[in-house]
Amino acid sequence: MAFSQAVATRSLPLIDLPYELILGIAETGELDVISRLALRHTCRRLFRFAGEYGYWLSAARMLVRQGLTPPLPSFHSSLKSLSIEQLMRSCLRCHDLDIKLRSPGPKYLKHCTLEFPLNDSHLENFAFIQGGELAMTTHDDGTVRVWDLCPSPTQSGNPDNPIQTGIQLATHRISNHIIAIGYQTSGDPRNMLILVAAVCYDPETASSSFHSFIIQCIRQENGQLLANFSQDYQTGGVRAFPTPGVIVQDGLAIAVVQSSEGKGVLLVIVDIARRVHLTLTTGLGANRQWDIVVSGNDLLLFSEIADEVLFAAYFDLRGRLPPSGSLYIQHPPDVTRLRTYGSSLDPLMEGLHWFTVHPWDTPHWQTDHLVPVIFEATRTNQQADPELEWRSLVGIHWISPARVIRSLKFGEPMPRESRRIKRLRNQCMLARIDGATMLVPSTYGRRLLWVNRPVRPDHPEAEPRLETITMQTPWDSTTNEDDSGTQFSVPIDLNLVHRIDFDDEYGRLLVILDPPGGERYQTAHIFMY
């Protein structure tokens, strides 16, 4: 009591406070990363304190709760695997990237390009493999390709001079058209495995298939990379949802698809290492869009519409897998529950699309073990009234799989669901070839990246802009619906845009352009911040 009274009646120097109290002050968010680093240069006691592992661990967790993504060195999957120095560098890199992206017109550090001949195939998707040294692409001829993105050491690093990069390591054709893909990496830099799952569509038969396979990347003593594909597992005779749910997690490849025989929703699960697979006829309606996430040994399906989200769970998923071979059974979910929202979306909205963001290991500590579901919709009457205050709506809903599973398993109250909404005033651009919407979530759902054209009656042909909007976190109590964001100034023609993406962890901006008239190359531009 005497100590408490002393603290209440007079100020104590920070150096005199106990370790636990200083750490508590730091965890409140009052000390940013630079202030934490400055403590190391005050006195010996605080220098030792600011070198403690828990001190920087709390800093990384503070950044996550602020909506940021501390980067991990290649082939590290958790904070606990990092040294104090690595943890400190990760926090500083994250802080510096956030400051840069909040500034007007952030300047990139390096610009790399990768060309894809159109006489070969049309590029559909592009994914950075952990650390960004490798990339995986999918093409409209059903091929998956692996690329080495490390530029030649003889090439200049001047940001104003693009560096040509990309050496194709391996290619593998799995089907006619890949419409969704998920992956997970494991191993180490010299012997890496990429576990891949994909849903494909065959326009000739109007049917879909599910594939899973392994890509092995080996770095030789001379530094050269070699990659090869294993024979893939395939399930045919299914129908894909418009945006199929596909994930790879903890060695399992999982997809939620529709039965081609009118049996509703199917759940296909493959244990890639054991080469066993299970297909469950769930009995769930195929009139809704479903997605999936794994939490521990349990699997959670969810379907979200304008005013509700429906959860369905299978407990002890691995225990259901057959000891060998394959098994096809009818088994409804162990439990389902509906969660409604207090207010639905604007009734004038149409064309609602959902994007569930699956980081390479979901749920991940870098999203505080939450799964971000991002949605967008457009007004039905925007063409009739070009002077509307806003034309589109985007929002985010964070799902806590562990809390939802616990509620379903033990009958506890469901966690409170909330949506954060932003209204967009500009016109979102579409890809020229396939009409894809140029409004996508970043890799961890921290930002929304979009190419838009300002709608101004006095200037209907305004030049397109590439911008990023920060999405609110579950811990942000503000209700900011402003759509203002950071504009990227990049030396490319955005009228030719085909695909866009942003890597929250490493600060890489990807813009894929279709060729102008007469050229036969698609070009992927990678801007490193």
Side-chain angles (χ1 to χ4, degrees), residues 55-65 70 79 87 91 365:
Y55 180 77
W56 288 103
L57 184 64
S58 71
R61 289 172 175 167
M62 176 194 69
L63 292 171
V64 169
R65 295 182 73 86
L79 289 173
L87 197 56
C91 291
W365 70 268

Side-chain angles (χ1 to χ4, degrees), residues 191-206:
N191 189 357
M192 178 180 67
L193 297 179
I194 308 173
L195 312 181
V196 184
V199 174
C200 306
Y201 176 72
D202 186 347
E204 295 183 1
T205 62

Side-chain angles (χ1 to χ4, degrees), residues 238-269:
V238 298
R239 294 169 53 197
F241 286 100
T243 53
V246 182
I247 63 170
V248 180
Q249 186 175 342
D250 298 332
L252 298 179
I254 308 173
V256 55
V257 293
Q258 304 177 57
S259 168
S260 60
E261 302 174 355
K263 296 181 181 179
V265 175
L266 300 179
L267 194 60
V268 184
I269 307 157

Side-chain angles (χ1 to χ4, degrees), residues 282-337:
T282 66
L284 298 171
N287 59 330
R288 306 174 65 118
Q289 172 71 50
W290 292 89
D291 212 329
I292 43 180
V293 65
V294 174
S295 179
N297 288 324
D298 305 318
L299 183 140
L300 180 68
L301 294 98
F302 56 93
S303 174
E304 188 157 359
I305 59 176
D307 56 0
E308 67 181 29
V309 55
L310 178 60
F311 293 107
Y314 285 92
F315 306 135
D316 189 20
L317 182 64
R318 290 186 181 274
R320 301 174 188 268
L321 293 172
S324 61
S326 61
L327 181 64
Y328 191 113
I329 60 175
Q330 183 174 349
H331 195 301
D334 294 323
V335 63
T336 60
R337 189 177 300 181

Side-chain angles (χ1 to χ4, degrees), residues 196-197 210-213 233-235 247-255 267-279 317-318 321:
V196 184
F210 173 61
H211 301 254
S212 63
F213 52 93
Y233 161 81
Q234 176 179 346
T235 297
I247 63 170
V248 180
Q249 186 175 342
D250 298 332
L252 298 179
I254 308 173
L267 194 60
V268 184
I269 307 157
V270 180
D271 187 323
I272 299 177
R274 294 172 53 207
R275 297 190 176 184
V276 299
H277 63 274
L278 171 68
T279 302
L317 182 64
R318 290 186 181 274
L321 293 172

